[in-house]
């Protein structure tokens, strides 16, 4: 099997990617010389055979002159013109071969001079056009700052690989993204940031020496073609990550790169470069979604991608067709075992896929504007249910989650306040849960909207505490009422002394801050007893009940208290 270095790229592309200046390879130059000389010889024979320079056939000499000017520029055109003017149809060529009459001196000198003018002019014009084309090609194939091949160049190289399918070249594509590129840009400015791709290449050039091997796809992302003769794309991805583990020095500033890598291999049925590039991007997206540094594409990701696109395309219709529904998981007060609230949990009753859990579609929607419509639907239905329980005389509050994206503006906040007033809902019956990621997203903006809700009497809870990176300062800066301890800490807490100490510390801190604690994922009586002993206020989980319909929650309210 041939190797990547043996790939037969077109010379124009190879020269551009290699920063070369010549427009013809040596073999092409030799061929151009041979053809030019052959044409000059042919012109000489035709002119002589047709009666000499008195016929119009002598103008055929412009053809080899133009060819030489095209191939070699002004110098080539001038040399070919002199060969034509002083040789092929020069003084040795009779004006009339039948009588042997020679050409007048002025005639062939004028003709030779005009040939020379034509050859030089053609060479200048064609050379100028070629330089313009070369600049256009460079602008398309080479990034103006990093001077690395671009995505267009990558597509051309992959097209050549696919065209030469008989070579059976084992090829992989690694896509590398700098996740903290925006942070670097905001901190160090464009002068440093724009040179990061070139610095990555400088660090890794010994591993990837070919000029058509590393590509600058766009800001913060590069592609690397790897020869799987050496090792698999996945193995080389891990090696690349190790190579870039140490900070890069860019403009005398050490810069740490937070990298994520997706890799894919060229498959036998690939017919276009886009398929390999797409698979590598899918692997990259999968790595980011799963919190991994490196991921290699596999066929399961193709079906996952197809399902994701299907769900996204069907979300709007699902909203209008009432395919979404809310289930409610009851929340009980630990000191007396009374039902005091329920958390609204969305489900998608898909007509062909069945009941879908939120983890199957919420992460997809959060990457699009569709999450805004879905969150508004959740909030509206949760408010309606809280009002219905209020009207029925049941003292049950309703908690619901919102996406970080929904807190970027005041649209959702205004809608919640307006609907609550229209239904005469007592504000303490409503509770909004925000995640730690929402706070990290934009704590200042989030805080302003939460203060507006809190001033209206709506409770605010911080969800999944202990599962992320919330700073303790946010617990005092934001208008929180409750702290929900994540199920990862609560599950089997009595069997793990470390978790016990963490939960105890969180409960103690919440008490000192005047916050009530809600323990999620409670599944057994021992956990209930432990949480009660540590001063936790509220619990929810399978021990009390799985997510259920609103009517089932209402029935629980009439049953004896749970201790």
């Amino acid at each position: 099997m041939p190797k990547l270095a043996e790939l037969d790229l077109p010379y124009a592309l190879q020269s551009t990617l290699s920063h070369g200046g010549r427009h013809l390879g040596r073999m092409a130059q030799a061929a151009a010389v041979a053809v030019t000389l052959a044409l000059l010889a042919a012109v000489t024979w035709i002119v002589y055979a047709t009666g000499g320079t008195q016929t119009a056939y002598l103008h055929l000499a412009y053809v080899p002159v133009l060819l030489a000017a095209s191939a070699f520029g002004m110098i080539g055109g001038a040399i070919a013109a002199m060969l034509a003017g002083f040789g092929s149809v020069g003084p040795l060529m009779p004006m009339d071969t039948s009588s042997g009459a020679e050409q007048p001196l002025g005639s062939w000198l004028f003709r030779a001079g005009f040939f020379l003018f034509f050859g030089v002019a053609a060479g200048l014009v064609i050379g100028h056009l070629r330089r313009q084309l070369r600049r256009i090609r460079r602008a398309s194939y080479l990034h103006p700052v990093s001077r690395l091949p671009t995505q267009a160049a990558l597509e051309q190289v992959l097209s050549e690989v696919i065209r030469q399918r008989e070579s059976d070249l084992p090829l992989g594509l690694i896509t590398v993204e700098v996740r903290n590129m925006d942070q670097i840009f905001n901190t160090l400015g464009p002068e440093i940031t724009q040179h990061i791709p070139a610095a990555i290449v400088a660090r890794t050039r010994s591993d990837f020496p070919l000029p058509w091997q590393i590509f600058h796809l766009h800001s913060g992302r590069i592609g690397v073609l790897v020869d799987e003769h050496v090792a698999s794309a996945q193995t080389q991805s891990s090696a690349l990550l190790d190579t870039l583990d140490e900070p890069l020095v860019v403009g005398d500033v050490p810069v740490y790169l937070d990298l994520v890598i997706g890799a894919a291999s060229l498959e036998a049925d690939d017919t276009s470069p886009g398929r390999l590039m797409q698979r590598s991007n899918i692997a990259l997206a999968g790595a980011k979604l799963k919190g991994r540094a490196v991921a290699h594409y596999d066929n399961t990701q193709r079906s996952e991608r197809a399902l994701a696109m299907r769900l996204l395309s069907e979300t709007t219709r699902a909203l209008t067709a009432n395919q979404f529904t809310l289930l409610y998981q009851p929340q009980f007060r630990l000191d007396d075992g009374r039902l005091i609230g329920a958390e609204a949990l969305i489900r998608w009753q898909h007509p062909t896929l069945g009941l879908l859990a939120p983890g199957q579609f919420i992460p997809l929607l959060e990457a699009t504007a569709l999450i805004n419509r879905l969150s508004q639907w959740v909030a509206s239905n949760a408010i309606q249910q809280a009002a219905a329980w209020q009207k029925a005389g049941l003292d049950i509050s309703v908690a619901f989650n919102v996406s970080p994206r929904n807190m970027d503006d005041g649209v959702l906040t205004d809608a919640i306040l307006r609907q609550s007033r229209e239904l005469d809902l007592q504000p303490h019956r409503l509770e909004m849960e925000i995640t730690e990621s929402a706070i990290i997203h934009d704590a200042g903006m989030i805080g302003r909207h939460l203060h507006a809700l809190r001033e209206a009497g709506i409770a605010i809870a911080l969800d999944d505490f202990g599962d992320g990176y919330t700073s303790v300062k946010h617990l005092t800066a934001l208008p929180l009422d409750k702290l929900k301890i994540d199920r990862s800490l609560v599950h089997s807490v009595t069997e793990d002394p470390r978790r016990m100490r963490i939960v105890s510390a969180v409960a103690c801190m919440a008490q000192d801050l005047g916050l009530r604690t809600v323990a999620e994922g409670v599944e057994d009586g021992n956990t209930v007893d432990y949480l009660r002993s540590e001063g936790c206020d509220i619990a929810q989980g399978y021990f009390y009940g799985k997510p259920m319909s609103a009517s089932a929650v209402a029935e629980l309210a009439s049953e004896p208290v749970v201790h």
Side-chain angles (χ1 to χ4, degrees):
M1 291 184 182
K3 298 181 180 180
L4 181 60
E6 300 169 2
L7 180 63
D8 184 19
L9 293 179
Y11 188 83
L13 175 62
Q14 190 176 142
S15 177
T16 299
L17 300 185
S18 302
H19 303 269
R22 294 181 301 163
H23 56 271
L24 285 179
R26 290 179 179 177
M27 292 185 62
Q29 287 178 331
V33 170
V35 171
T36 300
L37 293 176
L39 286 175
L40 286 170
V43 169
T44 303
W45 180 83
I46 292 172
V47 171
Y48 186 85
T50 56
T53 60
Q54 63 182 350
T55 67
Y57 290 105
L58 64 87
H59 295 295
L60 290 174
Y62 288 113
V63 175
V65 174
L66 184 61
L67 173 63
S70 300
F72 303 102
M74 181 183 67
I75 296 177
I79 293 174
M82 287 188 289
L83 289 175
F86 293 93
S88 296
V89 292
L92 298 180
M93 176 66 69
M95 184 176 68
D96 184 354
T97 56
S98 61
S99 64
E102 297 181 355
Q103 301 181 62
L105 178 62
S107 177
W108 72 261
L109 283 177
F110 175 79
R111 186 186 309 115
F114 192 80
F115 280 162
L116 183 61
F117 169 78
F118 176 79
V120 171
L124 288 173
V125 171
I126 293 173
H128 175 73
L129 292 176
R130 180 167 287 111
R131 286 190 295 273
Q132 291 292 100
L133 290 173
R134 191 178 299 125
R135 279 194 287 269
I136 293 173
R137 185 184 294 116
R138 284 188 178 277
S140 174
Y141 288 167
L142 293 176
H143 191 276
V145 177
S146 67
R147 307 306 295 165
L148 294 174
T150 62
Q151 181 168 312
L154 172 60
E155 292 174 358
Q156 286 295 315
V157 173
L158 289 176
S159 294
E160 284 301 315
V161 172
I162 294 170
R163 187 182 65 82
Q164 301 172 37
R165 176 59 70 186
E166 66 276 5
S167 66
D168 196 24
L169 176 65
L171 190 72
L173 176 62
I174 298 172
T175 303
V176 184
E177 182 176 293
V178 183
R179 281 190 285 197
N180 60 333
M181 185 64 89
D182 286 342
Q183 180 184 357
I184 295 171
F185 182 90
N186 294 334
T187 304
L188 301 177
E191 295 80 8
I192 297 295
T193 307
Q194 66 183 354
H195 295 296
I196 286 178
I200 292 176
V201 173
R203 174 74 65 85
T204 60
R205 181 55 80 189
S206 60
D207 296 321
F208 309 107
L210 300 178
W212 54 87
Q213 202 163 4
I214 303 180
F215 301 81
H216 191 169
L217 303 181
H218 56 73
S219 177
R221 184 174 292 190
I222 65 172
V224 184
L225 280 180
V226 294
D227 190 340
E228 294 194 289
H229 277 110
V230 179
S232 69
Q234 189 169 12
T235 300
Q236 294 191 62
S237 297
S238 300
L240 178 62
L241 194 66
D242 292 338
T243 301
L244 297 171
D245 185 55
E246 293 295 323
L248 292 177
V249 178
V250 185
D252 296 327
V253 178
V255 179
Y256 168 75
L257 303 181
D258 181 15
L259 300 177
V260 59
I261 296 176
S265 299
L266 188 68
E267 296 181 356
D269 60 348
D270 283 340
T271 57
S272 67
R275 297 186 62 179
L276 176 60
M277 296 166 67
Q278 180 189 37
R279 290 198 301 274
S280 185
N281 278 333
I282 290 174
L284 179 70
K288 292 195 289 187
L289 185 63
K290 297 174 182 178
R292 296 162 56 185
V294 178
H296 191 273
Y297 179 86
D298 58 56
N299 289 329
T300 60
Q301 291 176 305
R302 178 178 297 174
S303 58
E304 290 174 358
R305 184 71 174 178
L307 177 60
M309 294 303 297
R310 177 183 177 184
L311 294 179
L312 287 173
S313 65
E314 294 178 354
T315 298
T316 299
R317 184 169 66 249
L319 283 166
T320 57
N322 295 318
Q323 293 177 11
F324 290 103
T325 186
L326 290 181
L327 298 180
Y328 298 88
Q329 187 167 43
Q331 297 175 331
F332 288 84
R333 200 160 54 198
L334 283 170
D335 59 356
D336 58 12
R338 293 185 179 278
L339 174 67
I340 61 168
E343 180 181 2
L345 302 170
I346 191 170
R347 298 291 188 270
W348 185 346
Q349 187 61 59
H350 195 279
T352 58
L353 299 175
L355 191 65
L356 301 180
Q360 294 175 270
F361 57 89
I362 291 294
L364 302 175
L365 299 181
E366 285 187 320
T368 72
L370 292 170
I371 193 63
N372 295 325
R373 291 190 60 186
L374 187 66
S375 292
Q376 290 171 6
W377 183 91
V378 169
S380 177
N381 282 268
I383 292 171
Q384 291 179 41
Q385 186 56 60
W389 280 335
Q390 175 182 286
K391 186 176 181 180
L394 299 176
D395 190 14
I396 304 175
S397 63
V398 177
F400 64 94
N401 288 273
V402 296
S403 167
R405 288 191 57 168
N406 300 130
M407 304 302 292
D408 285 341
D409 53 48
V411 174
L412 182 61
T413 300
D414 294 342
I416 292 171
L417 295 175
R418 181 173 59 254
Q419 187 177 8
S420 299
R421 289 192 298 268
E422 291 172 352
L423 297 177
D424 292 325
L425 178 65
Q426 297 171 352
H428 73 273
R429 293 178 174 270
L430 206 59
E431 178 181 309
M432 176 187 282
E433 296 184 359
I434 60 171
T435 61
E436 294 183 87
S437 60
I439 296 175
I440 297 171
H441 181 68
D442 189 342
M445 180 66 73
I446 298 280
R448 287 191 289 274
H449 296 313
L450 295 183
H451 276 289
L453 294 170
R454 187 66 186 85
E455 288 173 0
I458 297 174
I460 307 297
L462 180 60
D463 197 14
D464 300 333
F465 186 81
D467 188 43
Y469 309 96
T470 300
S471 172
V472 175
K473 71 176 183 181
H474 292 136
L475 300 181
T476 56
L478 296 175
L480 300 176
D481 297 279
K482 295 180 181 178
L483 199 63
K484 299 194 71 174
I485 305 175
D486 187 69
R487 66 183 67 252
S488 63
L489 293 176
V490 176
H491 179 70
S492 302
V493 63
T494 56
E495 301 173 7
D496 188 339
R498 293 174 299 178
R499 291 186 188 179
M500 293 177 67
R501 287 192 290 269
I502 293 173
V503 170
S504 176
V506 171
C508 181
M509 178 183 64
Q511 291 174 359
D512 291 342
L513 295 174
L515 304 176
R516 287 178 292 169
T517 50
V518 181
E520 299 179 291
V522 177
E523 297 184 357
D524 58 75
N526 291 335
T527 301
V528 172
D529 293 338
Y530 169 74
L531 294 171
R532 185 184 294 118
S533 69
E534 294 299 325
C536 286
D537 301 291
I538 302 166
Q540 69 180 84
Y542 283 6
F543 176 75
Y544 295 101
K546 296 181 179 181
M548 59 188 70
S549 65
S551 59
V553 175
E555 291 177 6
L556 276 181
S558 62
E559 294 180 1
V561 298
V562 179
H563 290 287

